Amino acid sequence: MNKYLNQLVKLSEINKEIDAFEPRVQKINKTLSVASEKAKTANSDIELLENEIKDAKLKRAKNETLLGELGDKLKSISKKTSSIKSEKEVKALQLEEDIAKEQSDFANDEINRLEKVIELKEGDKVKAKELYVELQKAEEDLNVSMEAERNAIKDEMAAAYAKKDELVSKMSQKILSFYEKIRKWAHNSAVVPVRKQACYGCFMRINDKTNSLVFNSEDIITCPHCGRILYREAAEA
Ligand SMILES: [Zn+2]
């Protein structure tokens, strides 16, 4: 392979290496944001449970107040009952007493139900808090390991750019701009191998003449179909 083509193949490899860094960084960011989102959700679950408990406690207190009032009412009814004579009044008081007792039963049931709700939600809250602590810890650990990964990528990137700078400084400007022109549309497949007499950029078969040129010529040969720079691989040669 001629020197210029050899440089182009190397440059193309380095550019591929450089372009592969961004998806790795994105993957790290994605992993971190997923972990952070999980912890946030767990935290809002705790808040939700706290609000539900607060609400149930408030309702319980209202029912307790009501129960107290109904107790007073029942006491006053029983006092009145002993002092009245007419049957009509007795009946009216009896009705009032029945209603108050029914309301008391209902308030008691409601308090019992709310007690159960509170107990259940308190249990859920404990679990949610444990989960939150766990997720927070996982997020912190992930931050540490991802930071190490980020630094590793930074080092690799610096090395790749240094390698590229060194190579480019030795290359001919004319060849470099020819390559960059192709790279604008072909991106990382600007320089491709020929395998089984096909261009590995557009995957079309190249004619015998071009194939022979790729294998024997000292010039830079491009694909007659797509215009990518072709080279022969050691194995194919
Ligand atoms: Zn092609």
Side-chain angles (χ1 to χ4, degrees):
M1 201 189 294
N2 80 47
K3 183 184 135 200
Y4 297 127
L5 190 56
N6 198 13
Q7 286 172 331
L8 281 174
V9 172
K10 270 188 192 152
L11 180 60
S12 165
E13 288 304 318
I14 296 170
N15 279 331
K16 266 183 223 168
E17 208 183 304
I18 289 171
D19 285 353
F21 290 125
E22 188 51 32
R24 279 168 69 189
V25 171
Q26 275 172 3
K27 201 178 158 198
I28 290 173
N29 292 342
K30 175 88 186 139
T31 308
L32 286 176
S33 84
V34 167
S36 156
E37 213 43 56
K38 270 190 194 167
K40 260 187 220 156
T41 307
N43 197 30
S44 53
D45 283 349
I46 295 170
E47 270 174 41
L48 200 70
L49 284 164
E50 275 169 351
N51 284 332
E52 284 170 346
I53 291 165
K54 208 169 115 188
D55 188 49
K57 281 182 176 169
L58 200 71
K59 280 183 187 154
R60 183 181 61 183
K62 275 184 188 163
N63 277 287
E64 279 165 349
T65 307
L66 181 65
L67 205 57
E69 287 165 2
L70 289 166
D72 292 345
K73 196 173 182 184
L74 284 166
K75 260 183 228 159
S76 88
I77 289 169
S78 87
K79 255 188 216 161
K80 275 187 212 162
T81 312
S82 56
S83 63
I84 52 163
K85 301 278 173 328
S86 94
E87 201 173 317
K88 199 182 160 193
E89 276 178 310
V90 172
K91 267 192 180 166
L93 272 180
Q94 185 69 54
L95 184 66
E96 222 180 298
E97 192 183 22
D98 287 348
I99 290 169
K101 275 183 181 164
E102 209 176 290
Q103 285 175 330
S104 294
D105 285 348
F106 185 76
N108 266 318
D109 287 349
E110 216 19 39
I111 289 166
N112 283 333
R113 188 188 67 83
L114 290 164
E115 294 283 2
K116 275 179 202 148
V117 168
I118 291 164
E119 202 188 316
L120 208 73
K121 302 270 177 200
E122 291 282 9
D124 288 348
K125 196 176 107 176
V126 169
K127 278 184 217 152
K129 274 190 173 169
E130 280 167 3
L131 180 67
Y132 177 60
V133 169
E134 223 173 85
L135 289 172
Q136 251 189 332
K137 172 86 177 66
E139 192 190 346
E140 278 164 26
D141 290 349
L142 203 62
N143 263 315
V144 173
S145 65
M146 290 292 120
E147 190 53 38
E149 171 96 20
R150 263 202 193 114
N151 286 332
I153 292 174
K154 254 185 224 164
D155 290 348
E156 283 175 52
M157 263 171 107
Y161 275 108
K163 211 161 50 169
K164 183 177 172 172
D165 287 347
E166 207 212 327
L167 179 62
V168 165
S169 72
K170 288 188 216 153
M171 287 176 75
S172 125
Q173 272 309 309
K174 213 177 120 193
I175 292 204
L176 210 52
S177 59
F178 179 62
Y179 162 76
E180 290 298 344
K181 218 187 263 173
I182 298 170
R183 197 167 175 250
K184 257 181 204 151
W185 58 266
H187 307 288
N188 274 333
S189 69
V191 183
V192 292
V194 171
R195 287 177 196 158
K196 296 188 178 106
Q197 211 173 322
C199 159
Y200 257 61
C202 67
F203 300 101
M204 282 178 72
R205 196 185 147 80
I206 53 170
N207 58 38
D208 292 345
K209 194 184 153 225
T210 311
N211 191 50
S212 152
L213 283 174
V214 170
F215 277 73
N216 304 307
S217 166
E218 283 299 302
D219 291 330
I220 285 171
I221 309 299
T222 55
C223 170
H225 308 292
C226 68
R228 287 179 176 89
I229 298 164
L230 300 172
Y231 70 94
R232 64 166 194 257
E233 285 175 312
E236 286 276 324

